[in-house]
Amino acid sequence: MHLKHSTRNGRSFRQEVTTIMAWRGCFLKWAKTDFIRYPKNISRSSRVNPYNQQRCSFRREAKRPDTKKENITQELNTSPSEAGTAGPPPPPYIRKPTLFRPLIFTVGFTGCSFGVSAILQYETIKSKVQTAKDGEELEKLALGSPDMAYWHDWWNQLSGFRRQLILLMSMVDDLWNSLTEGQRTATGIIAINAAVLCCWRIPSMQRTMIKYFTSNPASKTQCLPMVLSSFSHYSIIHMVANMYVLWMFSSGIVSLLGKEQFLAVYFSAGVNSTMVSYLCKTATGRFYPSLGASGAVMAVLAAVCTKVPEAKLGIIFLPMVTFTAGNALKALVAIDTAGLMLGWRLFDHAAHLGGALFGVWYVAYGHKLLWRRREPLVKLWHNMRFSVSRGSRPGGRPGDKGGGGGPGHH
């Protein structure tokens, strides 16, 4: 009886516990949905879930609930400082550069180039006259010495290495003298470009090369790179192409203008072509660095093609194809114009056009405006040198009227 009673009491106790647990679950479920309100900006994934917290191994990522429209609106209207997170940085503001200083530098550098070239031509002519007189005197001395045994003894006393060195120097001198004056001038320009190309390969000089040997209107250094970038190439192929064209046209341009005038045109064309590039970059807002001698080389090519438009030209890889210099210039100008209009970035087409226009302008008008008016400057330089040479003589005074002026003084 006692066992039956305890069993019956145990079953009734279990039923009561089961009933209480069922009601408790219903109450919690009802209370959780109706009375326990979480803030709207807190998602369900951030609420405490004891079942998820008890898992110690790999846990499956909770599904992200759909965000309500009002929450999206609230997040969009919230500023980054209020949300506690930094927003995306604003795009950098690029101030349009002023081109007043580059323009003044271009005008001043062009005038100085032609002025220095005029003085250099004066000094070259004077040096040639002096050399010719010295050569005549040496020739008279050599003819007046009947015995040449001294020079044979001197040669025989030299070692084998010194003889080979003298023979090598003689061969180099013969090769140099076999070049035309234009090719010798172009050789100096090619040597400068090759030296700058080697400097680009030195890691410690990269920052200096970018600052001074690339032209960019947005850079702090605007004027000096206008000159130095005309002798700067980063690619070997680029330098070889430009220097090959310069070498081919150097003899023609120097024979037409002379060495000194050619140098003035070459330097001025490099600066003027860079100025045109600055103008186009500032107008379009595309600020990127440029380098290369293409603008100066285009001026040389355009000057020759304008001066001799009927000259026959060809392509090195296609010798059977020939065309006139005038047509070649028109084709190059058309290609660069199309590249500038379409925004091609392979070359600085604005600098190419600037160099070509400068070459055409100089042959048509610039020669009369600049080079033919150099006489007053040359006379001023001559008077300055003459007065200095008289004042430096022993016993001479600047006010003296006597004394010869030397070769070239009239």
Side-chain angles (χ1 to χ4, degrees), residues 176 179-199 230-233 235-251 262-263 266-267 293 296-297 300:
W176 178 259
L179 299 177
T180 62
E181 190 175 12
Q183 291 174 343
R184 278 180 279 182
T185 307
T187 302
I189 298 175
I190 293 171
I192 297 174
N193 283 268
V196 175
L197 178 67
C198 294
C199 292
S230 300
F231 297 88
S232 177
H233 297 84
S235 171
I236 298 177
I237 299 176
H238 187 200
M239 191 198 78
V240 170
N242 283 335
M243 296 300 102
Y244 174 77
V245 176
L246 176 64
W247 178 268
M248 296 302 296
F249 284 87
S250 60
S251 299
F262 159 70
L263 290 175
Y266 187 86
F267 280 88
V297 173
V300 173

Side-chain angles (χ1 to χ4, degrees), residues 311-354:
K312 294 294 181 179
L313 302 178
I315 304 176
I316 183 173
F317 300 109
L318 299 173
M320 72 290 298
V321 179
T322 58
F323 41 84
T324 62
N327 292 333
L329 179 60
K330 293 176 184 177
L332 291 175
V333 170
I335 292 173
D336 286 321
T337 304
L340 182 62
M341 299 298 294
L342 298 177
W344 296 347
R345 294 285 298 273
L346 184 60
F347 300 106
D348 192 347
H349 297 282
H352 289 191
L353 287 175

Side-chain angles (χ1 to χ4, degrees), residues 155 159-172:
W155 177 260
S159 61
F161 175 75
R162 291 183 178 180
R163 292 180 184 179
Q164 295 295 329
L165 184 61
I166 292 175
L167 291 175
L168 179 61
M169 293 176 61
S170 178
M171 291 175 60
V172 172

Side-chain angles (χ1 to χ4, degrees), residues 345-406:
R345 294 285 298 273
L346 184 60
F347 300 106
D348 192 347
H349 297 282
H352 289 191
L353 287 175
L357 292 176
F358 181 83
V360 174
W361 171 83
Y362 184 79
V363 171
Y365 307 102
H367 178 75
K368 299 177 182 178
L369 295 175
L370 297 176
W371 192 251
R372 289 187 179 180
R373 298 185 179 182
R374 71 189 187 279
E375 187 176 355
L377 177 63
V378 174
K379 286 184 177 180
L380 177 63
W381 177 257
H382 171 75
N383 294 332
M384 290 175 58
R385 289 189 85 260
F386 185 57
S387 62
V388 170
S389 63
R390 284 195 307 172
S392 61
R393 290 175 183 173
R397 293 192 305 271
D400 291 341
K401 296 182 180 180

Side-chain angles (χ1 to χ4, degrees), residues 2 10 105 167 224:
H2 180 70
F105 178 80
L167 291 175
L224 190 58

